[in-house]
Amino acid sequence: LRCPKIGHVLYLEVQDGLRGPTCVFPGKQIGWGLDDNNGKEEEYVDLVTVPAVQGRILRFPGSAMHGVPRPADRWLLSDKEERALRKEEKEEIMDELDNSDDNDDSDSEGWIDGDMEACEDEDDDIERSVLLFNTWHDDEPPPRGVNGDYATGALPDGIMLDEEGTEDNADEVVTDISLEQDAQRLAEWEEDYGVDAKAIRCNPRSDWKSLTLNQVNYDGDIDEDTEVEEVRVNLMGKQCRRVYPRKSARLYDPTLNLLEALEEETKVSHFRLLN
């Protein structure tokens, strides 16, 4: 597995009252994995909770495991509550698929009646809009399957050429289509965001403010009688991707303050969870 140098989350728009923190495990690199201590897991796992705040940008090691629990307290649900939530989510997905299949009022362009209007109103339904981007090491190959720049002339996979494109002039047709697409895209961007995207440029670097982590520590001695809160971190992907035999990792919070951090509006917190 190859990972970027730095991962970024830019929070563009966050609905009032919405809690969707990004949770980063800086010590868990590439996969959840096991350490080299005779196959035993480490005693502690570091967790940083970053509330979604409009205009905030989060930077973290590109190989660090990270995620967004939804709802914010999901990792603190009991096994029974998690099963009920998964069932509810599955039913919602099936209902959406059924509604899509039942609606056969499509027009000649393949749009379903109301879809165009739904797309136009999409911005009104935004709850948590973020821009995710990565930066890669200069001395390593770029990520696979990604064009270096939209203006290079390369077409995305799946683009079909018009029938007039023959083997003799296919390259010319590709170039013409690419240039036309670029010109149209740039015109739309200029109309929406101004020349050189002035309307959406970030504030000067001098105006940025770095945040100090709120250290949440357990001051007492930890033993078998210490009260803890179980934290179930759901892991994505197959075993070879998550580098872990189970689909979730069980951690324990001796501070009993993780829920407060997950529902925090702005404050960034650092926890050391028991493994």
Side-chain angles (χ1 to χ4, degrees), residues 172-189:
E172 296 177 3
V173 173
V174 170
T175 301
D176 291 342
I177 293 177
S178 179
L179 293 175
E180 182 179 346
Q181 289 175 335
D182 292 343
Q184 180 179 356
R185 183 184 295 112
L186 289 173
E188 292 173 351
W189 288 353

Side-chain angles (χ1 to χ4, degrees), residues 115-219:
D115 280 1
M116 292 294 286
E117 181 179 353
C119 289
E120 293 173 355
D121 295 339
E122 183 177 359
D123 289 345
D124 296 335
D125 300 327
I126 291 178
E127 295 183 351
R128 182 183 185 275
S129 177
V130 300
L131 175 64
L132 310 176
F133 61 97
N134 299 319
T135 55
W136 295 75
H137 296 273
D138 291 336
D139 56 352
E140 294 182 3
R144 290 177 294 184
V146 179
N147 295 328
D149 188 272
Y150 72 88
T152 59
L155 287 173
D157 293 338
I159 297 296
M160 299 295 293
L161 298 179
D162 294 334
E163 294 182 357
E164 67 216 44
T166 64
E167 292 183 0
D168 294 335
N169 69 344
D171 290 340
E172 296 177 3
V173 173
V174 170
T175 301
D176 291 342
I177 293 177
S178 179
L179 293 175
E180 182 179 346
Q181 289 175 335
D182 292 343
Q184 180 179 356
R185 183 184 295 112
L186 289 173
E188 292 173 351
W189 288 353
E190 189 169 295
E191 180 179 354
D192 291 340
Y193 309 121
V195 179
D196 295 331
K198 289 183 177 179
I200 56 173
R201 286 186 178 181
C202 63
N203 294 333
R205 180 66 180 88
S206 57
D207 293 346
W208 294 14
K209 295 185 297 183
S210 297
L211 297 180
T212 302
L213 293 181
N214 172 45
Q215 300 289 341
V216 185
N217 300 316
Y218 180 75
D219 297 329

Side-chain angles (χ1 to χ4, degrees), residues 8-164:
H8 301 76
V9 181
L10 174 59
Y11 302 91
L12 300 175
E13 187 172 351
V14 181
Q15 180 179 334
D16 290 342
L18 179 71
R19 298 296 179 262
T22 303
C23 297
V24 182
F25 298 89
K28 291 295 187 180
Q29 303 286 323
I30 301 180
W32 197 261
L34 301 172
D35 66 12
D36 295 328
N37 187 21
N38 297 321
K40 297 181 180 179
E41 296 178 283
E42 59 269 45
E43 185 177 0
Y44 297 96
V45 173
D46 289 303
L47 166 63
V48 178
T49 59
V50 184
V53 176
Q54 185 167 317
R56 169 176 287 175
I57 185 167
L58 164 64
R59 303 175 73 246
F60 58 92
S63 58
M65 298 286 282
H66 57 281
V68 180
R70 181 180 179 186
D73 64 346
R74 182 161 195 159
W75 293 348
L76 302 178
L77 299 180
S78 67
D79 290 344
K80 182 178 180 180
E81 291 171 328
E82 173 66 18
R83 287 193 296 268
L85 181 57
R86 293 195 178 201
K87 180 180 179 181
E88 180 181 336
E89 291 172 338
K90 184 176 181 180
E91 290 174 349
E92 290 179 356
I93 293 175
M94 296 305 297
D95 288 343
E96 291 177 0
L97 292 175
D98 290 341
N99 292 336
S100 177
D101 291 340
D102 291 342
N103 192 339
D104 57 359
D105 298 328
S106 57
D107 60 21
S108 59
E109 297 298 326
W111 286 93
I112 303 299
D113 288 349
D115 280 1
M116 292 294 286
E117 181 179 353
C119 289
E120 293 173 355
D121 295 339
E122 183 177 359
D123 289 345
D124 296 335
D125 300 327
I126 291 178
E127 295 183 351
R128 182 183 185 275
S129 177
V130 300
L131 175 64
L132 310 176
F133 61 97
N134 299 319
T135 55
W136 295 75
H137 296 273
D138 291 336
D139 56 352
E140 294 182 3
R144 290 177 294 184
V146 179
N147 295 328
D149 188 272
Y150 72 88
T152 59
L155 287 173
D157 293 338
I159 297 296
M160 299 295 293
L161 298 179
D162 294 334
E163 294 182 357
E164 67 216 44

